Amino acid sequence: MEEKKYNAWYEETFQGTRLSLALEQMVYTGQSEFQKVEIFDTVRYGRVMTLDGVFMTSEKDEFLYHEMLTHPAMLTAIEPKRVLVIGGGDGGTVREVLRHPSVEKCVMIEIDELVVTACKEHLPSIGTAWEDPRLDVRFADGIDYVKNSEEEKYDVILLDGTDPIGPGEVLFAMEFFRACKRMLKPGGALALQSETPMLMGEVFAETQHKLRELFSTVAPYFGPVALYPSGQWSWTFCSDELDPLAPRAERQAEIAQGCRYYNAGIHNGAFAIPNYVQALIDERGKKS
Ligand code: SPD
């Protein structure tokens, strides 16, 4: 097949890598007090959203990331009723959370209202649950919330933030993880996006060790996200009481039916730690 010539490309520069997508047209550009928000149509990934020039989500592959961030923790928790999502302004994570019938309330704390407004208008295929009455979206600082909230605690907390570079760095700080734990009920689970071990090995390993100081079970798990640098992504499951390798099989089968990536086999396999990743964790352990 002959390679077509494309006139315009959108290029992400990230930690010494460049990833380009052939561009069809820009759809939206806005600047909030926090970041530049761009949404555009691409030839192969459908509609894509970037924050400060970094790919966040695409119509083509968003299910990989959102299903994997959400379902391992939701299906390991016994009967998650209250769920907290920090970040996740495109709406993909809350969409997956609200597919669980046990959920009575899902609070989403997103710092940047512009991300939600732009995604509601221009990426409606991702955020399909904005009107769900169980959803309570608040535009506030997630760090302040977990540090200071006196509200009822949560069964599951999901961290759907940006990369730990610049403003996103605080989302990988010990202080923040400690505050998240404060907001978890006994028997609860925290899951977070924990970056690419291939290109962000130090941050990944450091994060594992920080979380191990707080939780008795810290289990990284892995999957592909084609849009993100290196393509190999990680998330991390944390709990004091729950075993991520013992999800609730009945609920899992129901949820997996509506998933495009996640299923029981993926769940189990995702928790296998690749040898190079185990080595990163072990090496970082020797330093402390
Ligand atoms: N390198 C991009 C990492 C982005 C992680 N969060 C994505 C948010 C999608 N809801």
Side-chain angles (χ1 to χ4, degrees):
M1 219 162 86
E2 211 182 302
E3 177 64 14
K4 264 174 90 176
K5 297 268 176 279
Y6 300 107
N7 296 329
W9 294 80
Y10 191 103
E11 183 174 85
E12 170 191 280
T13 306
F14 180 84
Q15 298 282 295
T17 66
R18 280 182 174 176
L19 182 61
S20 297
L21 298 181
L23 186 64
E24 275 180 352
Q25 57 175 346
M26 289 306 292
V27 170
Y28 173 84
T29 303
Q31 176 73 47
S32 72
E33 65 179 289
F34 304 104
Q35 56 210 341
K36 184 174 185 185
V37 182
E38 290 171 289
I39 299 178
F40 44 89
D41 289 328
T42 67
V43 175
R44 300 305 304 270
Y45 279 68
R47 197 160 276 191
V48 171
M49 192 254 298
T50 59
L51 296 179
D52 282 340
V54 176
F55 293 126
M56 286 294 129
T57 199
S58 82
E59 283 180 322
K60 178 90 174 165
D61 79 340
E62 59 86 16
F63 62 97
L64 299 168
Y65 175 91
H66 293 123
E67 290 178 12
M68 289 301 277
L69 173 62
T70 306
H71 300 310
M74 289 295 290
L75 290 166
T76 302
I78 292 169
E79 199 196 3
K81 291 187 174 149
R82 283 179 60 79
V83 180
L84 173 65
V85 175
I86 297 193
D90 52 49
T93 298
V94 295
R95 176 197 74 214
E96 291 303 315
V97 167
L98 291 162
R99 290 184 47 227
H100 292 256
S102 64
V103 174
E104 291 172 358
K105 178 140 181 118
C106 175
V107 175
M108 174 181 139
I109 311 273
E110 164 62 57
I111 200 164
D112 195 345
E113 186 167 359
L114 188 66
V115 176
V116 174
T117 317
C119 288
K120 272 187 181 172
E121 186 172 348
H122 300 293
L123 266 174
S125 62
I126 295 182
T128 54
W130 293 122
E131 301 309 323
D132 191 308
R134 297 170 295 165
L135 179 62
D136 175 359
V137 178
R138 305 181 196 170
F139 299 111
D141 182 344
I143 301 171
D144 278 355
Y145 178 78
V146 288
K147 275 191 188 160
N148 302 315
S149 170
E150 290 306 328
E151 278 181 67
E152 189 183 336
K153 296 187 187 328
Y154 293 90
D155 300 296
V156 171
I157 300 181
L158 303 172
L159 307 183
D160 185 9
T162 51
D163 299 300
I165 293 160
E169 214 174 324
V170 282
L171 297 174
F172 284 74
M174 190 69 182
E175 207 189 345
F176 175 56
F177 293 145
R178 192 173 286 116
C180 288
K181 182 167 184 184
R182 188 186 83 83
M183 288 307 290
L184 262 190
K185 283 185 186 168
L190 167 75
L192 56 135
Q193 75 89 354
S194 46
E195 295 291 313
T196 157
M198 179 69 74
L199 295 175
M200 298 283 276
E202 254 178 63
V203 172
F204 168 82
E206 184 81 28
T207 302
Q208 301 304 307
H209 284 276
K210 282 179 190 165
L211 293 166
R212 284 178 183 188
E213 286 183 37
L214 296 173
F215 294 94
S216 53
T217 296
V218 174
Y221 58 100
F222 306 89
V225 179
L227 186 68
Y228 297 163
S230 92
Q232 186 180 35
W233 208 249
S234 80
W235 301 262
T236 301
F237 172 99
C238 309
S239 178
D240 278 339
E241 292 85 4
L242 301 169
D243 173 2
L245 291 179
R248 317 282 136 179
E250 210 172 290
R251 288 202 287 119
Q252 185 181 49
E254 274 163 35
I255 290 292
Q257 271 195 348
C259 285
R260 294 174 65 202
Y261 182 70
Y262 178 86
N263 59 38
I266 292 284
H267 181 117
N268 294 341
F271 284 94
I273 303 182
N275 291 353
Y276 86 93
V277 178
Q278 187 61 56
L280 287 171
I281 300 173
D282 294 345
E283 275 307 306
R284 172 60 190 76
K286 285 182 199 152
K287 289 188 192 151
S288 47

